[in-house]
């Protein structure tokens, strides 16, 4: 159709003529924003209440009112509504970005002083009031890795069940309870894992794998949910073509459905990993606290970045600032790990994404 | 496509390298820094009070330096959790802000756990609790126990109240609102502070003594750092926290007898020295639970004190466990160990007299 | 071909006619899938059994035996109130914002940078909850103090802004804001997904009839995505109800039950209460805490059932 291929200006004038009236110049939005900013700054400075946040808020408010008034006068009420809503939505997006940038800025600002080569290469064993966080980093990777190892096969198989095999009561029950599972408080998952292992191994037991089990309880519903969505999108005609050729069902799933959905599945797993990698509460009650490096999840306590950061904040000792620095540095490392995993997931997605015609 | 390959190879290689490094340094045989001629070996776990956490970390670090064959750990799960785990034989020793109680049968259960041996309960960590406040123009605030109680029970609501002015003659007090800050989590610090208030001024402070703060409506923060951060952030705020964590906050002087005392390590240790044993809770040859004399009026004492105990047994089934626990506790109560704790965690070192009292308990540990 | 594939209708007919067998590969695979589904239900049942078994002693105990001397109901009611208050406040802020963010990314932003913007919003989900807690105390709290003071002065007649405003900023207001930021990426991810899948015919049809972009969004995109947005909101609500660490660190809890959002006396949430008191608890106190966990479980169940009912009604109507 013409409207899609013509230039936006032509389309806009088409629209303008259809609702009656003229059309604002292309620089209208920027002019309004600039004017509103200037006005707000001037007024607040005069009132002696100038702050960046307040100015921004007033600018957006004034700009919305101004653009509506101006557009209504020139272009008519419908176009005016469109302009003001677009501005409002853009402002909402900006608002949502503020905490993100604030978080990343603050963590970076406070965490970088705590980073050092020592932080990454040595643990805290035998070092009074200091040391590195290698044991915490290795612990996080190990515990999260084992949790993924547990959750991903079970989660994907359950999603396959829901999309390919499930019928009737079991399916409905599973769908409902997966929803419920997303709301389990993280500390309850930890207490459950602790109670489970306590039955078999006695009280006071602390193992890396207990933390993995607790994290799996939190991770599985997310894996199932996203895997289910991705598997549902695989078109039926792909499957039907396979069956028509006489392929058995299991081969269809493993050779056709899963590879098609592979990219989406990886993204879903990454989402789940990102969710649980920073969990502190369940690990506090299951993995214990230790200074030394331990890479065996089945034997002995294991430190991890989240609990490490929490401990450094909670019990800083006399060198308070150094402990706080280490806590922020651990948080920064955690975020960095998640970002790396996210980027890797995106690359995998782009590489393996199959275009479905 | 090749860019992705490179990234994957790089990621894989770095994970592999990290793993190899990890495997390399996790074995018990490697000697890590510090020369040690000790032949102690094994893994010992302790758990309990968060107040002792910083000190325990320092002790463990030094002990592991001197004995590279051992791996110690201390879980700061809280005093209650520590006592529970000790009774259930989940840990070799526990740190507790409160002595084992006789109410829920804790004392009997712990004695039973130690089997053919005896129960050990000795004070190993003493720390003054400071009253910190945030009032920019006022330094060196002085408070009597009654005023202190009234502030924290929210009877006094502004800083220029008559009672505070009476304690601080000649000081210009602003009319800022008082924001009392307390612990939101159950804590030994709260228990010791409320114990002090209920013993010294029971007519003003009629609340039950417990680890849960009893007064509603104040500002509550999680952990000692939480209280310190809250007081730092709020003008007109006042709170109670481990003295070593006060940082740059102003600390109030509390009236003891006729003088106003500061929360120093020496003053705190002196209170313990002058306190008698709690007869009901000290049943056992090596069980030394103290009933702190909070109403003391002697000079040079500071009665708002947190005493934390180390709980262990005199007999352990494995010889290496017994040797290691004995050597560790010996270090903990030694002058060097106490000095380290004072430096790293801000505690008050045990006085010489007290050390002499607790040493026999530790010396009695043996295998069997 | 001796074997017959029984997953197609033709195959089933043939198999029935010949007294068919199912291939072992099919049997193993389908059994594994079913086993996975059953395992998960068993896991969930395990959690529920754990909660009930450990919480039951507190349910049956008399009020005098419980710490604090209150019955279970008296103990958990303020906590449940605080949990629902915090989560509702967070959802009320997050859901409209998430819808706006999703609309911006799918319909307003230039397509070339839309992918990057989506990635940025998803980054919010990557930040650990403990970092949100620390950010709440050190950054947002102090920044919110002047805002809360302003609210107390000018809107203090509304019960939720009654004040007196806390001087440290560790209030339900700030905790709710932090929760809102935490659940924003969840809701917006779901909304983005469904908004981008609005049928092009619907959208182009509206435009062909002369609708402005906003009118098109209002007429086609929003109604199309309504039930999915509600489902996403429920997901976010579930997260907010169960969030432990951030609330534990930020909130100044004083057990008071009130709608006052900006004072220092706030009700605690169930999850934060467990985290704060569990370390020092022993015996019946632990059972009490776990019983509150059971209550939270029930609240989440009810919320999910309500959401499903709403969505079903939307789909029918």
């Amino acid at each position: 159709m013409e409207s899609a291929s013509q230039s936006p200006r032509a389309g806009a004038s088409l629209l303008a003529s259809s609702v009656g009236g003229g059309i604002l110049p292309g620089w209208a939005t920027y002019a309004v924003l600039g004017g509103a900013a200037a006005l707000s700054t001037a007024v607040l400075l005069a009132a002696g209440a100038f702050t960046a946040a307040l100015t921004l808020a007033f600018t957006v408010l004034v700009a919305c009112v101004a653009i509506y008034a101006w557009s209504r006068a020139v272009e008519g009420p419908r176009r005016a509504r469109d302009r003001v809503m677009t501005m409002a939505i853009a402002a909402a997006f900006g608002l949502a970005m503020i905490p993100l940038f604030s978080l990343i800025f603050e963590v970076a600002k406070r965490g970088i002083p705590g980073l050092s080569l020592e932080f990454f290469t040595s643990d805290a064993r035998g070092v009074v009031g200091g040391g590195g966080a290698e044991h915490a980093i290795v612990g996080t990777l190990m515990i999260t890795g084992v949790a993924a190892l547990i959750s991903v096969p079970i989660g994907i198989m359950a999603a396959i069940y829901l999309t390919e095999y499930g019928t009737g009561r079991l399916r409905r029950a599973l769908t409902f309870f997966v929803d419920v599972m997303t709301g389990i408080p993280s500390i309850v998952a930890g207490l459950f894992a602790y109670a489970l292992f306590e039955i078999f191994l006695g009280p006071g037991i602390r193992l890396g794998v207990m933390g993995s089990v607790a994290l799996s309880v939190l991770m599985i519903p997310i894996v199932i949910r996203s895997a289910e969505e991705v598997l549902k999108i695989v078109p039926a005609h792909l499957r039907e073509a396979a069956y028509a050729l006489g392929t058995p069902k299991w081969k269809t799933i493993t050779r056709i459905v899963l590879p098609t959905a592979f990219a989406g599945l990886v993204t879903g797993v990454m989402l789940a990993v990102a969710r649980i990698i920073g969990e502190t509460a369940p690990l506090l009650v299951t993995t214990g606290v230790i200074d030394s490096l331990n890479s065996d999840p089945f034997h002995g306590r294991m430190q991890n970045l989240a609990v490490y950061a929490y401990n450094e904040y909670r019990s800083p000792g006399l060198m308070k600032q150094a402990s706080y620095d280490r806590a922020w540095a651990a948080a920064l490392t955690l975020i960095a790990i998640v970002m790396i995993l996210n980027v890797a997931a995106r690359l995998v997605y782009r590489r393996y994404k199959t275009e479905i015609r | 496509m090749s860019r992705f390959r490179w990234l994957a190879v790089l990621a894989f290689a770095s994970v592999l390298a990290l793993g190899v490094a990890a495997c390399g340094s996790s074995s018990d045989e490697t000697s890590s820094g510090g020369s040690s001629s000790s032949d102690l070996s094994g893994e010992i776990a302790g758990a309990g009070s968060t107040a002792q956490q910083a000190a325990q970390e320092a002790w463990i670090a030094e002990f592991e330096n001197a004995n590279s064959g051992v791996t110690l750990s201390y879980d700061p799960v809280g005093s209650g959790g520590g006592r529970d785990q000790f009774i259930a034989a989940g840990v070799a020793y526990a740190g507790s802000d409160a002595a084992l109680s006789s109410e829920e049968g804790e004392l009997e259960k712990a004695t039973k756990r130690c089997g053919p041996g005896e129960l050990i309960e000795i004070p190993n960590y003493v720390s003054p609790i400071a009253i910190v406040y945030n009032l920019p123009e006022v330094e060196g605030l002085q408070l009597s126990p009654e005023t202190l109680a009234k502030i924290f029970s929210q009877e006094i609501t502004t800083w220029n109240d008559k009672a505070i002015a009476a304690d601080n003659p000649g000081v210009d007090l602003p009319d800022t609102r008082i924001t009392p800050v307390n612990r939101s989590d159950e804590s030994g610090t709260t228990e010791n502070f409320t114990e002090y208030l209920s013993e010294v001024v029971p007519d003003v402070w009629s609340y039950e003594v417990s680890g849960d703060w009893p007064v509603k409506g104040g500002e509550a923060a999680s952990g000692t750092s939480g209280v310190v951060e809250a007081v730092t952030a709020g003008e007109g705020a006042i709170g109670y926290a481990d003295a070593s964590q006060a940082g740059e906050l102003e600390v109030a002087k509390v009236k003891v007898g006729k003088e106003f005392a500061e929360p120093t390590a020496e003053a705190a240790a002196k209170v313990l020295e002058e306190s008698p044993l709690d007869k009901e809770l000290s049943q056992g040859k090596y069980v030394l639970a103290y009933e702190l004399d909070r109403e003391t009026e002697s000079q040079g004492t500071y009665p708002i004190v947190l005493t934390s105990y180390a709980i262990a047994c005199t007999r352990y089934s494995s010889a290496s466990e017994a040797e290691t626990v004995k050597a560790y506790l010996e270090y903990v109560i030694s002058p060097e160990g106490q000095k380290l704790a004072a430096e790293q965690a801000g505690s008050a070192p045990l006085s010489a007299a007290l050390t002499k009292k607790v040493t026999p308990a530790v010396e009695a540990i043996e295998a069997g | 071909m001796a074997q017959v594939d029984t997953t197609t209708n033709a195959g089933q007919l043939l198999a029935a006619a010949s007294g068919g067998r199912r291939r072992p590969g099919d049997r193993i695979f389908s059994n594994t899938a079913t086993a996975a589904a059953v395992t998960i239900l068993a896991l969930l049942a395990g959690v529920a059994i754990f909660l009930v078994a450990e919480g039951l002693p507190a349910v049956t105990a008399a009020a005098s035996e419980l710490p604090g001397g209150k019955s279970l109901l008296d103990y958990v009611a303020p906590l449940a109130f605080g949990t629902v208050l915090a989560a509702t406040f967070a959802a009320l802020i997050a859901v409209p914002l998430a819808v706006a963010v999703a609309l911006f990314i799918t319909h307003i932003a230039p397509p070339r940078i839309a992918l990057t913007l989506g990635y940025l919003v998803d980054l919010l989900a990557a930040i650990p909850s403990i970092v949100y807690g620390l950010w709440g105390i050190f950054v947002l709290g102090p920044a919110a103090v002047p805002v809360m003071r302003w609210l107390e002065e000018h809107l203090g007649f509304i019960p939720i802004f009654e004040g007196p405003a806390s001087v440290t900023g560790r209030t339900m207001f700030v905790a709710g804001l932090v929760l809102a930021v935490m659940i924003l990426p969840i809701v917006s991810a779901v909304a983005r997904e469904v908004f981008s899948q609005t049928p092009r015919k619907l959208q182009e049809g509206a435009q062909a009839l002369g609708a402005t972009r906003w009118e098109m969004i209002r007429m086609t995109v929003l109604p199309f995505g309504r039930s999915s947005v509600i489902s996403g909101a429920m997901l976010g609500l579930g997260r907010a109800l169960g969030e432990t660490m951030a609330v534990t660190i930020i909130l100044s809890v004083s057990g008071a039950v009130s709608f006052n959002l900006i004072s220092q006396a706030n009700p605690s949430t169930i999850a934060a209460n467990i985290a704060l008191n569990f370390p020092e608890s022993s015996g019946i106190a632990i059972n009490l805490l776990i019983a509150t966990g059971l209550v939270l479980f029930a609240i989440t169940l009810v919320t999910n059932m309500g959401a499903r009912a709403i969505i079903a009604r939307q789909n029918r109507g």
Side-chain angles (χ1 to χ4, degrees):
Chain A
M1 295 296 296
E2 295 85 18
S3 56
S5 53
Q6 277 181 356
S7 72
R9 284 287 300 165
S13 50
L14 209 72
L15 188 60
S17 56
S18 77
V19 299
I23 183 165
L24 288 181
W27 45 265
T29 321
Y30 304 111
V32 167
L33 280 172
L39 187 67
S40 316
T41 319
V43 166
L44 285 176
L45 274 175
F50 180 82
T51 63
L54 215 54
T55 319
L56 210 61
F58 269 109
T59 307
V60 169
L61 224 63
V62 171
C64 282
V65 171
I67 194 94
Y68 182 76
W70 190 10
S71 172
R72 194 195 169 113
V74 173
E75 295 174 324
R78 287 173 57 203
R79 194 89 174 101
R81 257 201 299 273
D82 179 46
R83 279 197 192 264
V84 82
M85 285 314 295
T86 308
M87 188 170 279
I89 291 179
F93 182 80
L95 187 66
M97 284 294 107
I98 293 178
L100 175 69
F101 288 128
S102 168
L103 273 162
I104 301 215
F105 174 70
E106 289 293 332
V107 176
K109 181 178 92 169
R110 292 163 197 257
I112 289 182
L115 291 177
S116 65
L117 194 62
E118 188 197 11
F119 187 79
F120 290 106
T121 56
S122 78
D123 58 21
R125 184 193 163 91
V127 182
V128 178
E134 187 197 10
H135 57 305
I137 298 175
V138 168
T140 295
L141 292 174
M142 183 65 70
I143 294 175
T144 315
V146 175
L149 226 63
I150 300 176
S151 320
V152 171
I154 293 186
I156 294 188
M157 281 309 266
I160 290 177
Y161 174 82
L162 282 175
T163 50
E164 306 282 337
Y165 289 103
T167 51
R169 279 201 316 232
L170 186 56
R171 183 177 195 286
R172 274 205 303 273
L174 189 61
T175 313
F176 179 69
F177 282 112
V178 166
D179 279 350
V180 172
M181 241 172 136
T182 60
I184 295 184
S186 45
I187 190 166
V188 170
L191 292 177
F192 166 71
Y194 174 74
L196 194 66
F197 278 80
E198 189 190 30
I199 297 177
F200 299 111
L201 297 173
I205 188 77
R206 295 272 192 267
L207 294 174
V209 72
M210 287 166 65
S212 300
V213 168
L215 292 181
S216 303
V217 173
L218 297 172
M219 207 175 153
I220 285 179
I222 305 180
V223 173
I224 295 182
R225 263 300 184 70
S226 42
E228 193 187 350
E229 293 299 318
V230 168
L231 288 173
K232 271 202 289 212
I233 293 182
V234 174
H237 66 251
L238 279 182
R239 293 190 185 85
E240 285 164 8
Y243 296 151
L245 290 171
T247 322
K249 188 159 185 174
W250 68 273
K251 237 185 196 170
T252 312
I253 296 178
T254 53
R255 293 287 182 85
I256 311 244
V257 176
L258 283 184
T260 311
F262 179 68
L265 289 175
V266 169
T267 311
V269 169
M270 284 306 153
L271 219 76
V273 168
R275 161 86 169 89
I276 55 124
I277 200 168
E279 283 292 343
T280 318
L283 295 177
L284 274 175
V285 298
T286 50
T287 53
V289 165
I290 193 169
D291 286 342
S292 319
L293 188 66
N294 175 17
S295 49
D296 184 350
F298 294 101
H299 178 76
R301 294 161 161 72
M302 193 180 268
Q303 185 60 293
N304 54 78
L305 282 170
V307 172
Y308 178 82
Y310 185 64
N311 271 340
E312 292 293 320
Y313 163 70
R314 266 300 208 97
S315 310
L318 276 183
M319 317 289 169
K320 199 157 81 160
Q321 200 48 48
S323 285
Y324 280 7
D325 284 345
R326 279 196 294 277
W328 287 107
L332 187 60
T333 315
L334 258 178
I335 297 181
I337 293 180
V338 178
M339 280 174 71
I340 293 177
L341 287 176
N342 256 335
V343 168
R346 300 256 155 193
L347 285 174
V348 167
Y349 186 82
R350 266 214 296 253
R351 161 83 174 83
Y352 287 103
K353 185 170 66 167
T354 46
E355 287 290 345
I356 300 174
R357 234 84 44 98
Chain B
M1 175 167 141
S2 58
R3 189 176 59 158
F4 170 68
R5 283 266 158 85
W6 269 116
L7 199 72
V9 169
L10 199 66
F12 187 65
S14 54
V15 170
L16 205 63
L18 210 60
V20 168
C23 291
S25 49
S26 73
S27 88
D28 284 342
E29 309 310 324
T30 44
S31 53
S32 55
S35 62
S36 75
S37 52
S38 119
D39 48 1
L40 287 176
S41 71
E43 288 176 28
I44 300 295
S49 149
T50 49
Q52 284 196 37
Q53 185 183 356
Q56 289 276 350
E57 277 175 13
W59 286 325
I60 288 177
E62 273 304 321
F63 191 75
E64 281 177 343
N65 259 339
N67 305 277
S68 59
V70 258
T71 302
L72 292 165
S73 68
Y74 180 78
D75 270 341
V77 288
S79 306
R83 291 195 301 271
D84 271 353
Q85 286 190 37
F86 178 77
I87 289 175
V91 288
Y93 71 96
S96 172
D97 294 339
L100 290 162
S101 76
S102 48
E103 275 174 16
E104 294 176 27
E106 270 184 345
L107 201 50
E108 293 95 70
K109 287 189 206 153
T111 315
K112 204 162 126 206
R113 175 251 151 104
C114 285
E118 312 242 11
L119 174 67
I120 298 176
E121 188 176 35
I122 50 173
N124 70 318
Y125 181 87
V126 179
S127 178
I129 300 175
I131 307 294
V132 289
Y133 66 96
N134 180 348
L135 214 54
E137 314 87 40
V138 179
E139 278 180 25
L141 187 71
Q142 297 178 163
L143 294 170
S144 63
E146 298 84 31
T147 321
L148 196 60
K150 286 193 183 141
I151 290 178
F152 277 99
S153 65
Q154 295 169 29
E155 273 177 57
I156 299 180
T157 51
T158 52
W159 279 105
N160 58 357
D161 190 278
K162 290 192 302 272
I164 307 181
D167 286 334
N168 296 275
V171 176
D172 212 3
L173 294 164
D175 66 348
T176 324
R177 186 163 58 94
I178 300 186
T179 304
V181 182
N182 55 271
R183 292 281 290 266
S184 55
D185 48 330
E186 201 175 323
S187 110
T189 318
T190 303
E191 196 167 342
N192 278 282
F193 183 53
T194 52
E195 202 179 81
Y196 165 78
L197 290 174
S198 72
E199 280 185 22
V200 177
V201 278
D203 41 343
V204 182
W205 189 268
S206 50
Y207 299 97
E208 196 188 315
V209 172
S210 96
D212 280 315
W213 184 256
V215 186
K216 296 212 185 311
E219 174 93 16
S222 147
T224 302
S225 350
V227 172
V228 171
E229 292 305 321
V231 174
T232 313
E235 190 175 324
I238 182 170
Y240 59 94
D242 208 55
S244 61
Q245 295 298 312
E248 289 167 7
L249 283 172
E250 282 290 324
V251 172
K253 296 196 257 255
V254 177
K255 198 166 188 185
V256 179
K258 298 222 171 22
E259 308 273 323
F260 287 96
E262 277 185 10
T264 61
E266 298 80 37
K270 197 148 179 251
V271 175
L272 191 56
E273 226 177 83
E274 299 182 356
S275 301
L277 282 176
D278 184 328
K279 293 219 174 42
E280 195 192 323
L281 299 180
S282 297
Q283 299 177 21
K285 196 159 139 203
Y286 301 115
V287 179
L288 301 167
Y290 283 88
E291 190 175 345
L292 288 169
D293 182 13
R294 308 226 186 242
E295 300 179 60
T296 177
E297 304 207 337
S298 43
Q299 223 191 32
T301 58
Y302 182 82
I304 315 182
V305 162
L306 176 122
T307 318
S308 202
Y309 296 88
I311 304 176
C313 295
T314 54
R315 285 251 189 104
Y316 291 95
S317 48
S318 106
S320 73
E321 193 179 355
E323 277 172 23
T324 312
V325 173
K326 180 173 179 178
Y328 180 63
L329 287 180
E330 271 174 356
Y331 175 68
V332 164
I333 61 172
S334 70
E336 300 87 48
Q338 288 292 308
K339 182 157 161 262
L340 181 72
E343 282 167 9
Q344 293 297 322
S347 62
L350 294 175
S351 64
L354 203 52
T355 314
K356 232 165 93 178
K357 279 197 204 143
V358 302
T359 307
V362 176
E363 294 301 322
I365 300 180
E366 56 181 4
Chain C
M1 290 285 205
Q3 294 283 10
V4 173
D5 180 38
T6 54
T7 54
T8 61
N9 283 331
Q12 278 170 350
L13 281 172
L14 275 174
S18 57
R21 304 144 283 187
R22 276 181 63 183
R23 296 172 118 114
D26 263 344
R27 239 202 332 262
I28 296 176
F29 198 75
S30 93
N31 284 343
T32 316
T34 318
V38 171
T39 309
I40 292 174
L41 285 179
L43 189 66
L44 202 64
V47 176
I49 293 176
F50 159 73
L51 283 176
V52 170
E54 291 290 328
L56 207 57
V59 174
T60 54
S64 51
E65 295 168 18
L66 294 172
K70 289 190 279 199
S71 74
L72 176 63
L73 211 60
D74 286 335
Y75 183 80
V76 83
L79 297 174
F81 172 77
T83 310
V84 173
L85 182 66
T88 313
F89 182 63
L92 282 175
I93 297 180
V95 173
L97 216 58
V99 168
V101 165
L103 281 177
F104 183 79
I105 293 179
T106 52
H107 284 87
I108 300 185
R112 269 169 303 149
I113 65 171
L115 208 62
T116 321
L117 293 178
Y119 177 65
L120 281 180
V121 176
D122 286 342
L123 213 53
L124 279 174
I127 300 191
S129 51
I130 180 179
V131 176
Y132 275 109
L134 295 177
W135 178 72
I137 318 186
F138 285 108
V139 179
L140 191 61
V145 170
V147 174
M148 293 193 297
R149 255 196 223 124
W150 185 91
L151 285 170
E152 181 193 1
E153 267 179 54
H154 295 95
L155 296 175
F157 54 89
I158 310 177
I160 57 175
F161 298 132
E162 217 176 296
S166 151
V167 293
T168 58
R170 302 160 76 252
T171 59
M172 190 60 85
F173 184 70
V174 171
L177 283 179
V178 172
L179 283 177
V181 177
M182 288 175 90
I183 69 177
L184 181 77
I186 301 176
V187 185
S188 102
V190 173
R192 252 168 36 224
E193 199 55 50
V194 76
F195 287 166
S196 64
Q197 285 184 15
T198 315
R200 302 186 84 204
K201 292 188 204 143
L202 280 180
Q203 298 182 69
E204 285 171 2
Q207 283 180 319
L209 288 173
T212 62
R213 183 165 57 187
W214 167 244
E215 284 167 350
M216 172 201 71
I217 291 176
R218 211 185 37 180
M219 287 194 296
T220 61
V221 178
L222 290 182
F224 179 77
R226 192 170 23 203
S227 58
S228 291
V229 168
I230 294 180
S231 152
M234 285 303 141
L235 215 60
L237 198 64
R239 173 83 203 266
L241 284 170
E243 175 52 42
T244 313
M245 234 40 225
V247 179
T248 306
I249 296 181
I250 296 178
L251 204 56
S252 154
V253 300
S254 292
V257 177
S258 85
F259 285 95
N260 191 345
L261 292 176
I262 62 176
S263 80
Q264 68 204 19
N266 303 289
S268 183
T269 66
I270 295 179
N273 184 60
I274 298 178
L276 284 173
N277 289 317
F278 185 75
E280 297 282 336
S281 302
S282 55
I284 191 88
I286 293 189
N287 298 108
L288 183 62
L289 290 177
I290 296 186
T292 62
L294 196 58
V295 172
L296 182 58
F297 209 51
I299 295 179
T300 315
L301 214 76
V302 167
T303 314
N304 273 305
M305 292 201 298
R308 292 220 166 249
I310 295 178
I311 294 175
R313 204 146 26 107
Q314 294 279 352
N315 287 340
R316 257 183 281 134

